[in-house]
């Protein structure tokens, strides 16, 4: 299977608030590797955002030399409290939740390169990602029925091109230009490139108990966190020459994605001591312009 457009770039400039490192040995081959869990804060348009960024690197390269990234990550704690420039990518993780009895999808940030930069550098948090549209815009509403966000799902082939990685991106409903642009420009199966902003806003809210009969009222402080991958712009549908995903490839990738869901569910059922013989791979239909979702 040929390679298709898998652009997936994240750029963050901000202050490294915290970083913890852990060196482990792979259970599969015994190779040593390092994991760093970092927290970066960026003040963008006067609003504080906080990003959890994971770094990971093997100690040795394929030719058995010391990996420069491993060495760099070992010293990452020296950057705490300083302005840093990070480049990386979005990552998806799917697992079966026994608590919710369903497949859960999480979307995180993987860092690759990190270096110190001047304190005067402008804080930014952006992404650029290319993929085929697996689900068109869907409304997200609050308890009052008001739309607070639109979601759209795009897919890329994984490393082996035998399964789709699906990414959920968001649209601010007040950004009518983006809502109209996506609605009028794309259909299911189109390969497109989106650029956007990582809006991970942090707000500390103080609430005073209004039910006090006397004395000083009880004051509670809690933190509100938002994690939005807001689309700010999009390309015209890409052509095959630009790395677009043909319909038959999309079908195969979605079939692999659904088969993985079945595998995860079956594994969870088996570990719970139940018979998994009833699990079957959901069918994948041909891509149709009338569809609104492939998943």
């Amino acid at each position: 299977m040929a390679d298709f457009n898998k652009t997936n770039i994240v750029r963050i400039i901000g202050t490294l608030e915290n970083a913890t490192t852990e060196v482990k040995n792979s259970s599969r081959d015994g190779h040593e590797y390092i994991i760093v869990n970092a927290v970066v804060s960026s003040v963008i348009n006067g609003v504080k955002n906080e990003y959890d960024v994971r770094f990971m690197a093997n100690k040795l390269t394929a030719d058995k030399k010391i990996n420069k990234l491993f060495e760099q990550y070992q010293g990452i704690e020296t950057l705490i409290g300083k302005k840093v420039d990070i480049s990386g990518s979005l990552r998806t993780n799917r697992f079966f939740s026994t608590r919710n009895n369903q497949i859960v999808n999480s979307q995180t940030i993987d860092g690759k390169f990190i270096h110190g930069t001047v304190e005067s550098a402008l804080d930014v948090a952006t992404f650029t990602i290319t993929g085929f549209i697996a689900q068109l815009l869907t409304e997200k509403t609050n308890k009052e029925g008001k739309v607070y966000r639109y979601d759209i799902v795009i897919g890329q082939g994984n490393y082996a091109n035998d399964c789709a990685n699906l990414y959920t991106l968001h649209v601010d409903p007040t950004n009518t230009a983006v809502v109209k642009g996506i609605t009028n420009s794309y259909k299911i199966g189109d390969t497109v490139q989106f650029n956007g902003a990582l809006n991970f806003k942090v707000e500390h809210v103080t609430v005073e108990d209004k039910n006090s009969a006397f004395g000083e009222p009880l004051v509670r402080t809690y933190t509100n966190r938002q994690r939005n991958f807001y689309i700010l712009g999009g390309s015209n549908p890409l052509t095959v020459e630009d790395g677009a995903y043909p319909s038959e490839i999309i079908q195969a990738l979605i079939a692999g994605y659904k088969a993985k869901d079945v595998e995860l569910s079956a594994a969870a059922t088996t570990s719970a001591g139940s018979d998994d013989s009833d699990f079957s791979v959901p069918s994948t239909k041909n891509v149709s312009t009338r569809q609104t979702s492939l998943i």
Side-chain angles (χ1 to χ4, degrees):
M1 189 179 289
D3 286 332
F4 303 100
N5 198 315
K6 299 179 183 179
T7 299
N8 183 349
I9 301 169
V10 167
R11 173 94 184 280
I12 297 174
I13 297 178
T15 301
L16 182 62
E17 301 286 355
N18 189 29
T20 59
T21 61
E22 185 177 5
V23 176
K24 296 184 175 182
N25 290 298
S26 171
S27 58
R28 183 181 62 183
D29 52 25
H31 288 173
E32 200 170 350
Y33 66 99
I34 189 171
I35 294 178
V36 179
N37 290 301
V39 178
V40 181
S41 67
S42 302
V43 178
I44 301 171
N45 296 325
V47 177
K48 183 178 181 180
N49 296 261
E50 283 188 357
Y51 307 99
D52 294 317
V53 184
R54 188 192 74 152
F55 299 83
M56 186 171 69
N58 291 324
K59 182 175 182 178
L60 301 178
T61 61
D63 56 1
K64 306 301 181 184
K65 295 181 179 179
I66 296 295
N67 187 343
K68 292 182 178 179
L69 287 177
F70 183 94
E71 291 183 319
Q72 184 185 37
Y73 296 165
Q74 280 187 310
I76 200 170
E77 293 179 353
T78 62
L79 294 173
I80 293 177
K82 300 178 180 179
K83 186 70 70 78
V84 294
D85 189 333
I86 294 172
S87 59
S89 59
L90 300 181
R91 177 170 62 93
T92 61
N93 180 39
R94 294 158 62 216
F95 60 93
F96 188 89
S97 169
T98 54
R99 175 182 297 179
N100 301 317
N101 196 35
Q102 64 182 19
I103 301 293
V104 174
N105 296 286
S106 65
Q107 196 161 276
T108 57
I109 301 171
D110 272 358
K112 185 173 184 180
F113 300 109
I114 178 171
H115 60 83
T117 188
V118 294
E119 290 297 319
S120 59
L122 185 66
D123 286 3
V124 298
T126 61
F127 67 86
T128 304
I129 190 166
T130 302
F132 60 87
I133 295 179
Q135 186 176 77
L136 293 172
L137 286 181
T138 57
E139 294 181 347
K140 297 297 178 181
T141 56
N142 58 22
K143 294 179 180 179
E144 290 73 37
K146 183 179 179 181
V147 177
Y148 66 88
R149 196 182 72 203
Y150 291 97
D151 289 2
I152 187 171
V153 180
I154 67 170
Q156 292 183 341
N158 64 355
Y159 180 79
N161 278 329
D162 59 6
C163 179
N165 290 326
L166 298 184
Y167 300 88
T168 300
L169 306 178
H170 308 136
V171 179
D172 182 345
T174 65
N175 194 337
T176 56
V178 172
V179 175
K180 290 180 181 178
I182 292 175
T183 302
N184 297 333
S185 302
Y186 306 135
K187 63 183 182 299
I188 206 77
D190 282 346
T191 300
V192 300
Q193 182 172 98
F194 289 120
N195 61 277
L198 300 170
N199 185 282
F200 286 26
K201 184 167 61 174
V202 178
E203 288 182 316
H204 300 289
V205 181
T206 300
V207 178
E208 184 178 296
D209 188 352
K210 301 294 185 180
N211 197 35
S212 297
F214 59 88
E216 293 186 1
L218 179 64
V219 177
R220 295 184 177 90
T221 300
Y222 58 94
T223 302
N224 278 338
R225 296 181 184 274
Q226 297 182 15
R227 297 181 77 254
N228 292 308
F229 301 81
Y230 277 146
I231 295 171
L232 298 180
S235 69
N236 290 314
L238 303 186
T239 64
V240 173
E241 289 74 18
D242 297 321
Y245 292 77
S247 177
E248 64 273 15
I249 299 301
I250 293 175
Q251 293 173 44
L253 293 174
I254 292 296
Y257 178 87
K258 293 181 177 180
K260 183 64 176 177
D261 275 357
V262 172
E263 179 185 325
L264 291 170
S265 299
T269 303
T270 301
S271 65
S274 301
D275 182 11
D276 66 342
S277 58
D278 291 334
F279 282 94
S280 60
V281 179
S283 61
T284 302
K285 299 179 181 179
N286 293 339
V287 180
S288 166
T289 58
R290 294 186 297 274
Q291 287 177 267
T292 60
S293 177
L294 298 174
I295 55 179

